[in-house]
Amino acid sequence: MTGCAKRCKQGLIKFALSLHKLVTGTLIKDKADDDLEMTMVCHRPEGLDQLEAQTNFSKRELQVLYRGFKNECPSGVVNEDTFKQIYSQFFPHGDASTYAHYLFNAFDSAHTGSIKFEDFVTALSILLRGSVTEKLQWTFNLYDINRDGYINKEEMTDIVRAIYDMMGKYTYPVLKTDAPKQHVDAFFQKMDKNRDGVVTLDEFILSCQEDENIMRSLQLFENVI
């Protein structure tokens, strides 16, 4: 399970970097040109000061991220189809559509059917610079598909199958048909502390904090920007 989760986290980082690279690619100039261009940025998201207060990004970082977001999404919002197209670029040998659907829903916390810059940067702030608890809570919400506060075996099976589909046959050349079930069983053996058939947020956080591999995988997010 930890190997799959780690690969998905790497995929999410790649998605964030895809927007960031759109910006940094245009800013590889001398510093004078860069500073001049930044002073000319006039199309900023509403409430930039508020976003700075609500996230772990500086105002300059928010300006840079916003420019990349607008370059990729001129309308200022990302719908699910566009999100899937962007995310699937990083998994050319598999089908990332189902996992991207779950990921889109996690970013679209207000369930509006689209991701605004505010949604994107708020989630990115948690994933890149949030506390361990904040990162794990965000991940729990990703896995809790029906938003009832628990992860059940059906939800985890759907997530694991989506991960396998996303990674593709070249990643798992000898994949057995019961491999997803084995991963789900291992997940619940580790996480379901009271053996009631569901995993709560507290159980999830405690189990992850006890796992060195998961803690190391969370560090992949640090210093991306």
Side-chain angles (χ1 to χ4, degrees):
M1 176 59 200
T2 56
C4 293
K6 187 183 296 184
R7 292 186 183 95
C8 290
K9 291 184 177 72
Q10 291 170 331
L12 183 56
I13 290 172
K14 289 179 180 179
F15 172 73
L17 284 174
S18 70
L19 293 181
H20 184 57
K21 286 179 180 178
L22 288 172
V23 181
T24 56
T26 64
L27 296 179
I28 301 176
K29 315 168 184 176
D30 61 58
K31 188 176 183 301
D33 286 345
D34 176 74
D35 290 343
L36 175 62
E37 187 167 317
M38 287 305 297
T39 63
M40 296 173 63
V41 175
C42 57
H43 297 290
R44 296 174 180 172
E46 193 172 328
L48 188 62
D49 290 336
Q50 184 177 0
L51 276 177
E52 183 181 15
Q54 292 175 343
T55 68
N56 297 310
F57 296 125
S58 68
K59 186 175 293 186
R60 180 181 176 86
E61 289 171 328
L62 289 168
Q63 290 171 332
V64 168
L65 285 168
Y66 183 65
R67 181 188 297 172
F69 188 89
K70 287 289 286 183
N71 283 344
E72 184 73 12
C73 313
S75 67
V77 296
V78 183
N79 62 30
E80 184 168 344
D81 287 341
T82 301
F83 185 89
K84 288 179 177 179
Q85 290 172 8
I86 296 172
Y87 197 74
S88 65
Q89 294 174 15
F90 306 112
F91 301 94
H93 300 302
D95 179 2
S97 60
T98 302
Y99 190 80
H101 167 73
Y102 297 138
L103 198 57
F104 178 87
N105 287 340
F107 273 90
D108 179 23
S109 57
H111 311 297
T112 62
S114 62
I115 300 173
K116 298 181 296 185
F117 176 71
E118 290 83 356
D119 301 321
F120 174 75
V121 78
T122 299
L124 204 61
S125 174
I126 293 173
L127 293 170
L128 298 185
R129 297 181 180 174
S131 66
V132 168
T133 299
E134 289 172 332
K135 293 176 181 179
L136 291 175
Q137 185 169 359
W138 196 93
T139 305
F140 179 90
N141 291 336
L142 170 65
Y143 293 166
D144 179 17
I145 297 173
N146 66 5
R147 313 281 182 171
D148 66 350
Y150 304 93
I151 301 174
N152 59 45
K153 285 195 174 184
E154 182 179 353
E155 289 172 319
M156 203 64 227
T157 299
D158 289 342
I159 290 288
V160 171
R161 285 176 176 166
I163 292 171
Y164 277 120
D165 289 343
M166 177 174 63
M167 302 312 297
K169 63 182 181 180
Y170 295 104
T171 303
Y172 300 100
V174 291
L175 178 63
K176 297 180 180 179
T177 56
D178 63 344
K181 182 180 183 303
Q182 291 177 355
H183 274 106
V184 171
D185 289 344
F187 175 89
F188 274 82
Q189 181 66 30
K190 184 181 188 65
M191 303 275 182
D192 184 11
K193 300 292 189 181
N194 62 1
R195 300 294 183 259
D196 63 351
V198 295
V199 175
T200 65
L201 175 61
D202 289 341
E203 287 175 322
F204 183 79
I205 291 176
L206 177 61
S207 298
C208 289
Q209 289 176 332
E210 293 173 345
D211 191 308
E212 293 183 2
N213 290 327
I214 293 177
M215 289 297 96
R216 280 196 296 268
S217 72
L218 290 179
Q219 295 175 2
L220 291 171
F221 290 110
E222 296 177 1
N223 302 317
V224 169
I225 296 178

